[in-house]
Amino acid sequence: MVRCLPGLDTILKYQISPQPPPAIVTEPGSYKDTVKLPQTQFDMRANATKREPELQKFWAEHQIYEKLSQHNPGEPFILHDGPPYSNGALHIGHALNKTLKDIVNKYQLLKGRKVRYVPGWDCHGLPIELKVLQGMKAEERQKLTPLELRRQAKVWAIEQQQQQCASFKRYGVWGDWDHPYLTLQPEYEAAQIGVFGQMVLKGYIYRGFKPVYWSPSSRTALAEGELEYPEGHTSRSLYVAFAW
């Protein structure tokens, strides 16, 4: 015995009929008017590429950081900035470092404290010298004197510092960007000598024996933290004893 489901003839009619079922027509605008949505002047899209520069311009023109850091009623808060090398464009490590520090500073500002954040740059060292050497031809490197290398490294470091500074401000990081500290500034070097002298007078500086690692390719001494060996490496180091 064959049994038919109720309404099966109706379904078959719609399947066989060349005409589609009638569509439900909604008047334009009638549905959205029945939904109760909050009224706001905020844009639906963040549009960060346009809005972020506008916000940062507002901060700079109204000196938001300067006013808060000077006139907040709370105690001073100083975040000491470990300086990055001024030797190239910023990367994700710079972004993470400065963003985390900015979160701490702005949190302290919201608590009412006078935040003092002076950014700095390390303008000495092998990374900067290598960048200068990489941009020179072999003939130029052969004629290069130590004094000329230092001069070119200084020019390079200052250029990179200015570019990095502009990028950090574009991140939205607040700080005293107009008065950073640079390790190549004479006053900074003088302060280092002064601190070193105090350490000598207090007996913190002594002379001892320690192996110094040398890089033939870079022609410079290496710190222990700069030595990296692949897994399974067999050292071919040579230790030589000298009469003292």
Side-chain angles (χ1 to χ4, degrees):
M1 182 178 64
V2 179
R3 299 179 60 184
C4 294
L5 295 175
L8 182 60
D9 56 340
T10 304
I11 298 175
L12 293 177
K13 288 180 181 178
Y14 277 114
Q15 292 178 342
I16 298 173
S17 174
Q19 299 295 331
I24 300 176
V25 179
T26 304
E27 296 181 5
S30 61
Y31 177 74
K32 69 179 183 63
D33 294 336
T34 64
V35 181
K36 301 300 181 181
L37 296 176
Q39 301 299 318
T40 176
Q41 295 181 353
F42 287 108
D43 294 333
M44 294 297 292
R45 297 176 58 188
N47 200 12
T49 57
K50 177 177 180 294
R51 290 289 296 152
E52 284 184 1
E54 294 175 353
L55 288 172
Q56 292 163 11
K57 182 180 179 181
F58 176 86
W59 296 342
E61 291 178 348
H62 293 79
Q63 297 183 322
I64 302 299
Y65 165 75
E66 289 79 7
K67 293 178 179 177
L68 291 175
S69 62
Q70 296 173 15
H71 303 299
N72 266 0
E75 295 293 323
F77 176 82
I78 299 176
L79 194 152
H80 296 281
D81 186 29
Y85 271 120
S86 55
N87 69 327
L90 301 183
H91 51 68
I92 189 62
H94 294 101
L96 176 63
N97 181 291
K98 282 293 187 290
T99 301
L100 291 176
K101 292 175 180 177
D102 192 55
I103 291 173
V104 173
N105 285 333
K106 287 176 178 172
Y107 169 72
Q108 295 296 334
L109 284 170
L110 289 173
K111 292 181 65 177
R113 301 184 67 177
K114 298 180 178 68
V115 172
R116 176 69 169 160
Y117 179 58
V118 180
W121 276 268
D122 187 345
C123 304
H124 293 100
L126 181 62
I128 296 174
E129 295 174 3
L130 289 178
K131 286 289 187 179
V132 173
L133 293 173
Q134 290 172 1
M136 302 175 66
K137 298 180 180 179
E139 299 81 8
E140 295 174 331
R141 289 196 294 267
Q142 292 295 329
K143 300 177 182 179
L144 190 65
T145 63
L147 288 178
E148 179 60 21
L149 175 59
R150 294 172 191 169
R151 189 193 67 80
Q152 294 194 29
K154 178 181 179 180
V155 173
W156 166 268
I158 293 177
E159 291 177 352
Q160 299 305 309
Q161 180 269 328
Q162 294 174 349
Q163 293 179 13
Q164 289 188 6
C165 180
S167 298
F168 282 137
K169 288 192 288 186
R170 184 64 181 84
Y171 285 173
V173 178
W174 285 2
D176 192 358
W177 297 108
D178 294 332
H179 305 92
Y181 74 87
L182 309 178
T183 60
L184 55 71
Q185 292 172 332
E187 56 269 27
Y188 182 91
E189 295 175 334
Q192 283 187 311
I193 294 174
V195 173
F196 184 78
Q198 292 295 323
M199 295 173 66
V200 172
L201 295 176
K202 294 180 180 180
Y204 297 148
I205 306 300
Y206 63 92
R207 176 176 290 179
F209 295 98
K210 182 180 180 180
V212 177
Y213 302 96
W214 180 258
S215 171
S217 59
S218 301
R219 295 186 295 175
T220 185
L222 299 175
E224 293 184 6
E226 295 177 306
L227 300 176
E228 296 183 5
Y229 299 103
E231 187 176 353
H233 172 75
T234 300
S235 176
R236 300 175 61 185
S237 300
L238 179 65
Y239 292 88
V240 180
F242 294 90
W244 190 259

